[in-house]
Coordinates of all heavy atoms in Angstrom, one line a residue:
M1288 N 121.0 74.1 119.1 CA 119.8 74.3 120.0 C 119.5 73.0 120.8 O 119.5 71.9 120.2 CB 118.6 74.6 119.2 CG 117.3 74.9 120.0 SD 116.1 75.7 118.9 CE 115.7 74.3 117.8
P1289 N 119.5 73.1 122.1 CA 119.2 71.8 122.9 C 117.9 71.3 122.6 O 116.9 72.1 122.3 CB 119.3 72.3 124.3 CG 119.1 73.8 124.3 CD 119.6 74.3 122.9
T1290 N 117.7 70.1 122.6 CA 116.4 69.4 122.3 C 116.1 68.4 123.3 O 116.9 67.9 124.0 CB 116.4 68.8 120.9 OG1 117.4 67.8 120.9 CG2 116.7 69.8 119.8
E1291 N 114.8 68.0 123.4 CA 114.4 66.9 124.1 C 113.7 65.9 123.2 O 113.2 66.3 122.2 CB 113.4 67.3 125.2 CG 112.1 67.9 124.7 CD 111.1 68.3 125.8 OE1 111.3 69.4 126.3 OE2 110.2 67.6 126.1
T1292 N 113.9 64.6 123.4 CA 113.3 63.6 122.6 C 112.0 63.1 123.3 O 112.0 62.7 124.4 CB 114.3 62.5 122.4 OG1 115.5 63.1 121.8 CG2 113.7 61.4 121.5
Q1293 N 111.0 63.2 122.5 CA 109.7 62.6 123.0 C 109.5 61.2 122.4 O 109.9 61.0 121.3 CB 108.5 63.5 122.5 CG 108.4 64.8 123.3 CD 107.1 65.5 123.0 OE1 106.5 65.2 122.0 NE2 106.7 66.3 123.9
T1294 N 109.1 60.3 123.3 CA 108.9 59.0 122.8 C 107.4 58.6 123.0 O 106.8 58.9 124.0 CB 109.7 58.0 123.6 OG1 111.0 58.4 123.5 CG2 109.5 56.6 123.1
R1295 N 106.8 58.0 122.0 CA 105.4 57.5 122.1 C 105.2 56.3 121.4 O 105.8 56.0 120.3 CB 104.5 58.7 121.6 CG 103.0 58.4 121.9 CD 102.2 59.6 121.6 NE 102.6 60.8 122.4 CZ 102.1 62.0 122.3 NH1 101.1 62.2 121.4 NH2 102.4 63.0 123.0
R1296 N 104.4 55.5 121.9 CA 104.1 54.2 121.3 C 103.1 54.4 120.1 O 102.1 55.0 120.3 CB 103.4 53.2 122.3 CG 103.3 51.7 121.8 CD 102.9 50.8 122.9 NE 104.0 50.7 123.9 CZ 105.0 49.9 123.9 NH1 105.0 49.0 122.9 NH2 105.9 49.8 124.9
G1297 N 103.5 54.0 119.0 CA 102.8 54.3 117.8 C 102.8 53.0 116.9 O 103.4 52.0 117.3
R1298 N 102.2 53.2 115.7 CA 102.1 52.0 114.8 C 102.7 52.3 113.5 O 102.3 53.2 112.8 CB 100.6 51.7 114.7 CG 100.4 50.4 113.9 CD 99.1 49.8 114.1 NE 99.0 48.5 113.5 CZ 99.4 47.4 114.0 NH1 100.0 47.3 115.2 NH2 99.4 46.2 113.3
C1299 N 103.8 51.6 113.2 CA 104.5 51.7 111.9 C 103.9 50.7 111.0 O 103.6 49.6 111.4 CB 106.0 51.4 112.1 SG 106.9 51.3 110.6
P1300 N 103.6 51.1 109.8 CA 103.0 50.2 108.8 C 103.8 49.0 108.5 O 103.3 47.9 108.1 CB 102.7 51.0 107.6 CG 103.5 52.2 107.8 CD 103.7 52.4 109.2
T1301 N 105.2 49.1 108.7 CA 106.1 48.0 108.4 C 106.4 47.2 109.6 O 106.4 46.0 109.6 CB 107.4 48.5 107.8 OG1 107.0 49.3 106.6 CG2 108.3 47.4 107.4
H1302 N 106.6 47.9 110.7 CA 107.1 47.2 111.9 C 106.1 47.1 113.0 O 106.5 46.6 114.1 CB 108.3 48.0 112.4 CG 109.5 48.1 111.5 ND1 109.7 49.3 110.7 CD2 110.4 47.2 111.2 CE1 110.7 49.1 109.9 NE2 111.2 47.8 110.2
G1303 N 104.9 47.4 112.8 CA 103.8 47.3 113.9 C 104.1 48.3 115.0 O 104.4 49.4 114.7
T1304 N 103.9 47.8 116.2 CA 103.9 48.8 117.3 C 105.4 49.1 117.6 O 106.2 48.1 117.8 CB 103.2 48.2 118.6 OG1 101.9 47.9 118.2 CG2 103.3 49.1 119.8
V1305 N 105.7 50.3 117.6 CA 107.1 50.7 117.9 C 107.1 51.9 118.9 O 106.1 52.6 119.1 CB 107.8 51.2 116.6 CG1 108.0 50.0 115.7 CG2 107.1 52.4 115.9
E1306 N 108.3 52.2 119.4 CA 108.4 53.4 120.3 C 108.9 54.5 119.3 O 110.1 54.6 119.0 CB 109.5 53.1 121.4 CG 109.0 52.2 122.5 CD 107.9 52.8 123.3 OE1 107.9 54.0 123.4 OE2 107.1 52.0 123.8
A1307 N 108.0 55.3 118.9 CA 108.3 56.3 118.0 C 108.9 57.5 118.7 O 108.6 57.8 119.8 CB 107.0 56.8 117.2
T1308 N 109.8 58.2 118.0 CA 110.4 59.4 118.7 C 110.4 60.6 117.8 O 110.2 60.5 116.6 CB 112.0 59.1 118.9 OG1 112.6 58.8 117.6 CG2 112.1 57.9 119.9
R1309 N 110.5 61.7 118.4 CA 110.7 63.0 117.7 C 111.5 63.9 118.7 O 111.4 63.8 119.9 CB 109.4 63.6 117.3 CG 108.5 64.1 118.5 CD 107.2 64.7 117.9 NE 106.4 65.1 119.1 CZ 105.2 65.7 119.0 NH1 104.7 65.8 117.8 NH2 104.5 66.0 120.0
D1310 N 112.2 64.9 118.1 CA 112.9 65.8 118.8 C 112.2 67.2 118.9 O 111.7 67.7 117.9 CB 114.3 66.1 118.2 CG 115.2 64.8 118.3 OD1 115.0 64.2 119.3 OD2 116.0 64.7 117.4
L1311 N 112.1 67.7 120.1 CA 111.5 69.1 120.2 C 112.5 70.0 121.0 O 113.2 69.5 121.8 CB 110.2 69.0 121.1 CG 109.0 68.2 120.5 CD1 107.9 68.2 121.5 CD2 108.6 68.8 119.2
P1312 N 112.4 71.3 120.7 CA 113.2 72.2 121.4 C 112.9 72.3 122.8 O 111.7 72.2 123.2 CB 113.0 73.6 120.7 CG 111.7 73.4 119.9 CD 111.6 71.9 119.6
R1313 N 113.9 72.4 123.7 CA 113.6 72.5 125.1 C 113.1 73.9 125.4 O 113.2 74.8 124.7 CB 114.9 72.3 125.9 CG 115.4 70.8 125.8 CD 116.6 70.6 126.6 NE 116.3 70.5 128.0 CZ 115.9 69.4 128.6 NH1 115.8 68.2 127.9 NH2 115.6 69.3 129.9
I1314 N 112.6 74.1 126.7 CA 112.1 75.4 127.1 C 113.3 76.4 127.2 O 114.3 76.1 127.8 CB 111.5 75.3 128.5 CG1 110.3 74.3 128.4 CG2 111.1 76.7 129.0 CD1 109.1 74.9 127.6
T1315 N 113.2 77.5 126.5 CA 114.1 78.6 126.5 C 113.4 79.9 126.7 O 112.2 80.0 126.5 CB 115.0 78.6 125.3 OG1 114.1 78.7 124.1 CG2 115.9 77.3 125.2
F1316 N 114.2 80.9 127.0 CA 113.7 82.2 127.1 C 114.1 83.0 125.9 O 115.3 82.8 125.4 CB 114.2 82.9 128.4 CG 113.4 84.1 128.8 CD1 112.2 84.0 129.4 CD2 113.9 85.4 128.5 CE1 111.4 85.1 129.8 CE2 113.2 86.5 128.9 CZ 112.0 86.4 129.5
P1317 N 113.4 83.9 125.4 CA 112.0 84.4 125.7 C 111.0 83.3 125.4 O 111.1 82.6 124.4 CB 111.7 85.6 125.0 CG 112.6 85.5 123.7 CD 113.8 84.7 124.2
W1318 N 110.0 83.1 126.3 CA 109.1 82.1 126.2 C 108.2 82.2 124.9 O 107.8 81.2 124.3 CB 108.1 82.0 127.4 CG 107.2 83.2 127.5 CD1 107.4 84.3 128.1 CD2 105.9 83.3 126.9 NE1 106.4 85.2 128.0 CE2 105.4 84.5 127.3 CE3 105.1 82.4 126.1 CZ2 104.1 85.0 126.9 CZ3 103.8 82.9 125.7 CH2 103.4 84.2 126.1
V1319 N 108.0 83.4 124.4 CA 107.1 83.5 123.3 C 107.8 82.9 122.0 O 107.2 82.3 121.2 CB 106.8 85.0 123.1 CG1 107.6 85.7 122.1 CG2 105.3 85.1 122.7
V1320 N 109.2 83.1 122.0 CA 109.9 82.5 120.9 C 109.8 81.0 121.0 O 109.6 80.3 120.1 CB 111.4 83.0 120.9 CG1 112.2 82.3 119.8 CG2 111.4 84.5 120.6
N1321 N 110.0 80.6 122.2 CA 109.9 79.1 122.4 C 108.6 78.5 122.1 O 108.5 77.5 121.6 CB 110.3 78.9 123.9 CG 110.3 77.3 124.2 OD1 111.1 76.7 123.7 ND2 109.3 76.9 125.0
W1322 N 107.6 79.3 122.4 CA 106.2 78.8 122.2 C 106.0 78.7 120.7 O 105.4 77.7 120.3 CB 105.2 79.8 122.8 CG 103.8 79.5 122.5 CD1 103.0 78.6 123.2 CD2 102.9 79.9 121.4 NE1 101.7 78.5 122.7 CE2 101.7 79.3 121.6 CE3 103.1 80.8 120.4 CZ2 100.6 79.5 120.7 CZ3 102.0 81.1 119.5 CH2 100.8 80.4 119.7
I1323 N 106.5 79.6 119.9 CA 106.4 79.5 118.4 C 107.2 78.3 118.0 O 106.7 77.5 117.2 CB 106.9 80.7 117.8 CG1 106.0 81.9 118.1 CG2 107.1 80.6 116.3 CD1 106.6 83.3 117.8
R1324 N 108.4 78.1 118.5 CA 109.2 76.9 118.1 C 108.4 75.7 118.4 O 108.4 74.7 117.6 CB 110.5 76.9 118.8 CG 111.5 78.0 118.2 CD 112.8 77.9 119.0 NE 113.7 78.9 118.4 CZ 114.8 79.3 119.1 NH1 115.1 78.9 120.4 NH2 115.7 80.1 118.6
R1325 N 108.0 75.6 119.6 CA 107.3 74.3 120.0 C 106.0 74.1 119.2 O 105.7 73.0 118.9 CB 107.0 74.4 121.5 CG 108.1 74.2 122.4 CD 107.7 73.9 123.9 NE 107.2 72.6 124.1 CZ 108.0 71.6 124.5 NH1 109.3 71.8 124.8 NH2 107.5 70.4 124.7
T1326 N 105.3 75.1 118.9 CA 104.1 75.0 118.1 C 104.5 74.4 116.8 O 103.8 73.5 116.2 CB 103.4 76.3 117.9 OG1 103.0 76.8 119.2 CG2 102.1 76.2 117.1
L1327 N 105.5 74.9 116.2 CA 106.0 74.3 114.9 C 106.5 72.9 115.1 O 106.2 72.0 114.3 CB 107.2 75.2 114.4 CG 106.8 76.6 113.9 CD1 108.0 77.4 113.5 CD2 105.8 76.6 112.8
A1328 N 107.2 72.6 116.2 CA 107.7 71.3 116.4 C 106.6 70.3 116.6 O 106.7 69.1 116.3 CB 108.7 71.3 117.6
E1329 N 105.5 70.7 117.2 CA 104.3 69.9 117.5 C 103.8 69.3 116.1 O 103.2 68.2 116.1 CB 103.2 70.6 118.2 CG 103.5 70.9 119.6 CD 103.6 69.7 120.5 OE1 103.0 68.6 120.1 OE2 104.2 69.8 121.6
R1330 N 104.1 70.0 115.0 CA 103.7 69.5 113.8 C 104.6 68.4 113.2 O 104.2 67.8 112.3 CB 103.6 70.6 112.8 CG 102.5 71.6 113.2 CD 102.5 72.8 112.2 NE 101.7 73.9 112.6 CZ 101.6 75.1 112.0 NH1 102.4 75.3 111.0 NH2 100.8 76.0 112.4
H1331 N 105.8 68.3 113.8 CA 106.6 67.2 113.3 C 106.1 65.9 113.8 O 105.7 65.6 115.0 CB 108.0 67.4 114.1 CG 108.8 68.6 113.6 ND1 110.1 68.8 113.9 CD2 108.4 69.7 112.8 CE1 110.4 70.0 113.4 NE2 109.4 70.5 112.7
P1332 N 106.0 65.0 112.9 CA 105.4 63.7 113.2 C 106.4 62.9 114.0 O 107.6 63.0 114.0 CB 105.2 63.1 111.8 CG 106.3 63.7 111.0 CD 106.4 65.1 111.5
F1333 N 105.9 61.9 114.7 CA 106.6 60.9 115.3 C 107.1 59.9 114.2 O 106.4 59.7 113.3 CB 105.8 60.1 116.3 CG 105.7 60.8 117.7 CD1 104.6 61.6 117.9 CD2 106.6 60.6 118.7 CE1 104.3 62.3 119.0 CE2 106.4 61.3 119.9 CZ 105.3 62.1 120.1
R1334 N 108.3 59.4 114.4 CA 108.9 58.6 113.4 C 109.3 57.2 114.0 O 109.8 57.2 115.0 CB 110.1 59.3 112.7 CG 109.6 60.5 111.9 CD 110.7 61.0 111.0 NE 110.2 62.2 110.2 CZ 109.5 62.1 109.1 NH1 109.2 60.9 108.6 NH2 109.1 63.2 108.5
C1335 N 109.2 56.2 113.1 CA 109.7 54.9 113.5 C 111.2 54.9 113.6 O 111.9 55.4 112.7 CB 109.3 53.9 112.4 SG 109.9 52.2 112.7
P1336 N 111.7 54.3 114.7 CA 113.2 54.3 114.9 C 113.8 53.3 113.9 O 115.0 53.3 113.7 CB 113.4 53.8 116.3 CG 112.0 53.1 116.7 CD 111.0 53.8 115.9
E1337 N 113.1 52.4 113.3 CA 113.6 51.4 112.5 C 113.8 51.9 111.0 O 114.8 51.7 110.4 CB 112.8 50.2 112.4 CG 112.6 49.5 113.8 CD 113.9 48.9 114.3 OE1 114.7 48.4 113.4 OE2 114.1 48.7 115.5
C1338 N 112.8 52.6 110.5 CA 112.7 52.9 109.1 C 112.5 54.4 108.9 O 112.6 54.8 107.8 CB 111.7 52.1 108.4 SG 110.0 52.4 108.9
G1339 N 112.1 55.2 109.9 CA 112.0 56.6 109.7 C 110.6 57.0 109.2 O 110.3 58.2 108.9
T1340 N 109.8 56.0 109.0 CA 108.4 56.3 108.4 C 107.6 57.0 109.5 O 107.7 56.7 110.7 CB 107.7 55.0 108.1 OG1 108.5 54.3 107.0 CG2 106.3 55.2 107.5
T1341 N 106.7 57.9 109.1 CA 105.8 58.6 110.0 C 104.9 57.5 110.6 O 104.4 56.7 110.0 CB 104.9 59.6 109.2 OG1 105.8 60.6 108.6 CG2 104.0 60.3 110.1
V1342 N 104.8 57.6 111.9 CA 104.1 56.7 112.7 C 102.8 57.3 113.2 O 102.8 58.5 113.7 CB 104.9 56.2 113.9 CG1 104.1 55.4 114.9 CG2 106.1 55.4 113.4
Q1343 N 101.7 56.6 113.1 CA 100.4 57.1 113.6 C 100.4 56.8 115.1 O 100.6 55.7 115.6 CB 99.3 56.3 113.0 CG 99.2 56.5 111.5 CD 99.0 58.0 111.1 OE1 98.2 58.7 111.7 NE2 99.7 58.5 110.0
V1344 N 100.1 57.9 115.9 CA 100.0 57.7 117.3 C 98.6 58.1 117.7 O 98.0 58.9 117.1 CB 101.0 58.7 118.1 CG1 102.5 58.2 117.8 CG2 100.8 60.1 117.6
P1345 N 98.1 57.4 118.8 CA 96.8 57.7 119.2 C 96.6 59.0 119.7 O 97.5 59.7 120.2 CB 96.5 56.7 120.3 CG 97.8 55.8 120.4 CD 98.8 56.4 119.5
Ligands
LIG1757 ZN1 109.2 51.0 110.8

């Protein structure tokens, strides 16, 4: 499944301010399936690229 990577500046407890990333499914058809996938993906936390720890984002 094709994905897009979202990047957001967040705060890792170990590394301080980092560019945290997460992968989300791209827009596909049917949109309702995609909407469900994206809703689930939105629950995926951003993660530190250095250590993989969940990063708190504003
Ligand atoms: Zn880290």
Side-chain angles (χ1 to χ4, degrees):
M1288 183 170 63
T1290 60
E1291 64 181 82
T1292 301
Q1293 286 189 340
T1294 304
R1295 190 168 300 177
R1296 190 170 296 269
R1298 186 156 187 85
C1299 173
T1301 304
H1302 298 100
T1304 301
V1305 294
E1306 290 291 333
T1308 60
R1309 67 178 178 183
D1310 290 331
L1311 293 180
R1313 294 182 76 87
I1314 299 292
T1315 55
F1316 195 82
W1318 68 268
V1319 96
V1320 174
N1321 183 68
W1322 179 81
I1323 292 167
R1324 284 177 179 166
R1325 285 192 77 94
T1326 299
L1327 293 175
E1329 290 289 339
R1330 297 179 186 168
H1331 292 190
F1333 283 90
R1334 294 193 178 277
C1335 173
E1337 300 291 334
C1338 62
T1340 298
T1341 300
V1342 167
Q1343 297 300 317
V1344 294

